[in-house]
Amino acid sequence: MTGGPVDPTTTSAWSDLADLAESLEPDLRAWFAEDDGRVERLSLTAADLWVDLSKNLVDDAVVAALLALAEQTDVLDHRDAMYAGEHVNVTEDRAVLHTALRLPADASLEVDGQDVVDDVHSTLAEVYDFAERVRSGAWVGITGQRIRTVVNIGIGGSDLGPVMAYEALAAYRQSGLECRFISNIDPTDTSTTLEGLDPETTLFIVASKTFGTLETLTNARLCRTWLIAGLRGSGALGPDTEDRVAVSRHFAAVSTALDKVADFGIDPANAFGFWDWVGGRYSLDSAIGTSLVVAIGPERFAEFLAGMHAMDEHFRTAPPAENVPLLMGLLNVWYTNFLGAQSHAVLPYAQLLHRFPAYLQQLTMESNGKSVRWDGTPVTSGTGEIFWGEPGTNGQHAFYQLLHQGTQLVPADFIAVANPAYGLADGDADVHELFLANFFAQTQALAFGKTADEVRAEGADEAVVPARTFEGNNPTTSIMAPELSPSVLGQLIALYEHITFVQGAVWGIDSFDQWGVELGKQLAQALSPAVAGDAEVAAEQDASTQSLIAYYRKHRR
């Protein structure tokens, strides 16, 4: 990247949007009634996804101004630079090539003198071979038994992506082979995850690029201790057999630090690497997804990658007015910078996507929670959104009251599939259809509300009419797909990756670094001696921290 970012607030499009926001009087009822073509004009396809933008608080003038903003802030040029392997991660001087992880094998992309496609598919072949050995039973533990449980040990992108996808693709998992996930350094996480497992049939995958992540390595050591103690306790590991013999049969790694991997006891041949141009929150489709490959198999994982690539191609080639990630990213800018929204709900009407909002929290908030632009200057507008959500009717009975009648503007994305992974009937009623009736009804109610006269027509007492009136005009986007297949899941992930990119490009920030996560980790390391009882280190802390540590020391049994 050369030069500084465009200040979006200095563009004519920004001024136009500010004027449009000031004069905006949202009336989705009237807009729909007066414009027969609104739904057709604002409904788009991207790969297998059907995306209905018609219930958003925009008209043609707003959409045109948003597209002009993208042009005037060089969003598409920035996109092309990313795809070409330019170092768009400025603060770390790195390319950003998660899109290269899903390029087909016959593609070619040279970055810094290296054909990255060859590297990607070489590593994929190693991961696929490993997964097939575990799935087939060719990989056995130290006692010769096949693996029944794979435990992924990671944190952040090394956990959120794999566990989200494992849950989402439950219908595609191999029977008799379970995956579990450990991330939190809270010892409860390791203890409860290992409960009921048999060391003889358990395989651990330690996911840490540098093999130095505090939480991951601490949990890996705890699991190693559990493994050795269990094997020795059962007599499976004799008193004269070295621990590393067991570790080599029950541990693999996703890491490029082969010396540290070997020191831990893992055979470097069972360590799979990835590259500095893959950020953690963009790494599920790299070797970080090894546990997912084991669960669903190489063929299904290849479908997952193909789905991501299909969305990549849509974002790369679709005209701006038909480009779904571009338009959704611009809508988020509209709500954040011009209509005062501070959060964004993602509401999957698919129980298997119950971890998708949590996955998006890292993707979006770690990427765009920035207060400086990529050249180090302060941002000139608000950035980032708080992403949150829960699946389906669970959310309806929790927080939808605020969405419908609260004072906060909360744009919401509703996600559903036509064909469920697990279909059931309640007598003659198709339960999935009942579920989707809620999906359709909620976006309808949020958009069009219920007038006071409609409440009165139902015979309501006048005193309760205000409480039962719904103003409507709450913006939603509806995303539908035929089914939650590996390909569709890949498309959804890539869609939100590119939405996040668009917002960051408009704001002129580096969406691919994450320096904000470092300070607390550094302070935690420095504070550890005080927590353990070092009075001298404790005395160096602020009064509040001293008080909290003192409370802990007093009450810890």
Side-chain angles (χ1 to χ4, degrees), residues 501-541:
F501 172 87
V502 168
Q503 292 174 260
V506 170
W507 292 323
I509 59 179
D510 184 343
S511 295
F512 303 102
D513 62 14
Q514 57 279 334
W515 298 108
V517 306
E518 297 299 323
L519 178 58
K521 289 160 50 173
Q522 294 168 358
L523 292 176
Q525 293 272 39
L527 277 169
S528 291
V531 178
D534 188 321
E536 185 176 339
V537 175
E540 297 171 354
Q541 310 308 316

Side-chain angles (χ1 to χ4, degrees), residues 420 423-435:
L424 294 173
D426 179 16
D428 293 331
D430 183 325
V431 178
H432 186 63
E433 291 186 352
L434 175 61
F435 187 42

Side-chain angles (χ1 to χ4, degrees), residues 361-382:
Q361 285 175 349
Q362 184 193 23
L363 172 63
T364 61
M365 295 163 71
E366 194 167 86
S367 294
N368 288 339
K370 311 287 173 60
S371 57
V372 296
R373 300 189 296 170
W374 74 61
D375 63 352
T377 59
V379 296
T380 58
S381 66

Side-chain angles (χ1 to χ4, degrees), residues 16 79 272 288 338 364 467 528 545:
D16 292 342
R79 173 203 63 189
F272 313 106
I288 288 295
F338 298 97
T364 61
S528 291
T545 303

Side-chain angles (χ1 to χ4, degrees), residues 209-213 217 255-266:
K209 183 190 291 188
T210 63
F211 219 74
T213 309
L217 267 295
S255 178
T256 53
L258 297 184
D259 53 343
K260 295 179 181 178
V261 167
D263 288 344
F264 187 88
I266 298 172

Side-chain angles (χ1 to χ4, degrees), residues 326-502:
L326 177 65
L327 290 169
M328 289 183 69
L330 292 171
L331 282 171
N332 292 355
V333 170
W334 169 242
Y335 292 125
T336 300
N337 295 119
F338 298 97
L339 298 188
Q342 294 185 323
S343 75
H344 193 115
V346 177
L347 309 172
Y349 276 66
Q351 180 62 28
L352 295 178
L353 286 174
H354 70 106
R355 292 294 291 166
F356 194 55
Y359 173 78
L360 293 184
Q361 285 175 349
Q362 184 193 23
L363 172 63
T364 61
M365 295 163 71
E366 194 167 86
S367 294
N368 288 339
K370 311 287 173 60
S371 57
V372 296
R373 300 189 296 170
W374 74 61
D375 63 352
T377 59
V379 296
T380 58
S381 66
T383 63
E385 301 158 283
I386 299 167
F387 267 69
W388 58 283
E390 282 289 327
T393 53
N394 288 3
Q396 291 177 203
H397 289 267
F399 51 77
Y400 276 43
Q401 169 65 41
L402 182 147
L403 298 183
H404 283 286
Q405 292 183 309
T407 60
Q408 304 287 327
L409 177 68
V410 183
D413 298 344
F414 284 71
I415 304 171
V417 297
N419 298 286
Y422 305 97
L424 294 173
D426 179 16
D428 293 331
D430 183 325
V431 178
H432 186 63
E433 291 186 352
L434 175 61
F435 187 42
L436 286 196
N438 279 270
F439 169 89
F440 301 133
Q442 289 298 328
T443 63
Q444 186 181 65
L446 286 163
F448 307 123
K450 192 175 191 178
T451 67
D453 286 343
E454 288 171 335
V455 176
R456 291 187 186 99
E458 294 175 345
D461 188 281
E462 189 63 31
V464 300
V465 167
R468 293 175 60 177
T469 298
F470 294 72
E471 291 187 7
N473 297 315
N474 295 293
T476 64
T477 293
S478 295
I479 303 171
M480 298 197 71
E483 61 186 346
L484 187 56
S485 63
S487 176
V488 164
L489 180 63
Q491 292 167 39
L492 285 169
I493 292 170
L495 170 65
Y496 280 92
E497 288 177 346
H498 299 319
I499 290 169
T500 301
F501 172 87
V502 168

Side-chain angles (χ1 to χ4, degrees), residues 128-407:
Y128 286 174
D129 176 69
F130 168 79
E132 287 288 22
R133 282 184 286 148
V134 175
R135 288 167 61 83
S136 68
W139 179 296
V140 294
I142 194 168
T143 61
Q145 294 194 59
R146 70 180 298 156
I147 299 301
R148 299 292 180 186
T149 309
V150 173
V151 179
N152 187 88
I153 308 171
I155 197 165
S158 300
D159 170 76
L160 285 165
V163 71
M164 178 275 292
Y166 178 76
E167 293 292 317
L169 299 177
Y172 297 89
R173 300 178 200 157
Q174 177 169 303
S175 178
L177 185 59
E178 178 190 13
C179 290
R180 296 188 184 185
F181 301 85
I182 297 173
S183 58
N184 202 333
I185 200 173
D186 182 339
T188 303
D189 195 13
T190 295
S191 298
T192 56
T193 302
L194 296 179
E195 188 173 349
L197 297 186
D198 181 354
E200 296 182 33
T201 60
T202 300
L203 174 67
F204 297 94
I205 300 175
V206 185
S208 173
K209 183 190 291 188
T210 63
F211 219 74
T213 309
L214 173 66
E215 296 90 344
T216 300
L217 267 295
T218 300
N219 287 330
R221 289 191 294 269
L222 292 174
C223 290
R224 182 176 60 185
T225 299
W226 172 87
L227 175 76
I228 299 303
L231 292 175
R232 290 205 185 280
S234 68
L237 189 62
D240 298 327
T241 306
E242 292 186 15
D243 293 353
R244 64 189 306 110
V245 175
V247 172
S248 68
R249 297 306 309 157
H250 291 269
F251 274 83
V254 178
S255 178
T256 53
L258 297 184
D259 53 343
K260 295 179 181 178
V261 167
D263 288 344
F264 187 88
I266 298 172
D267 185 344
N270 299 319
F272 313 106
F274 55 110
W275 305 271
D276 64 6
W277 40 259
V278 182
R281 57 194 176 276
Y282 296 91
S283 65
L284 171 58
D285 43 338
S286 73
I288 288 295
T290 297
S291 59
L292 181 63
V293 184
V294 172
I296 67 173
E299 183 178 350
R300 295 299 191 183
F301 192 79
E303 293 172 9
F304 171 72
L305 296 179
M308 301 184 96
H309 179 62
M311 186 59 67
D312 294 341
E313 286 298 285
H314 172 84
F315 182 48
R316 187 179 69 84
T317 64
E322 301 170 15
N323 195 307
V324 172
L326 177 65
L327 290 169
M328 289 183 69
L330 292 171
L331 282 171
N332 292 355
V333 170
W334 169 242
Y335 292 125
T336 300
N337 295 119
F338 298 97
L339 298 188
Q342 294 185 323
S343 75
H344 193 115
V346 177
L347 309 172
Y349 276 66
Q351 180 62 28
L352 295 178
L353 286 174
H354 70 106
R355 292 294 291 166
F356 194 55
Y359 173 78
L360 293 184
Q361 285 175 349
Q362 184 193 23
L363 172 63
T364 61
M365 295 163 71
E366 194 167 86
S367 294
N368 288 339
K370 311 287 173 60
S371 57
V372 296
R373 300 189 296 170
W374 74 61
D375 63 352
T377 59
V379 296
T380 58
S381 66
T383 63
E385 301 158 283
I386 299 167
F387 267 69
W388 58 283
E390 282 289 327
T393 53
N394 288 3
Q396 291 177 203
H397 289 267
F399 51 77
Y400 276 43
Q401 169 65 41
L402 182 147
L403 298 183
H404 283 286
Q405 292 183 309
T407 60

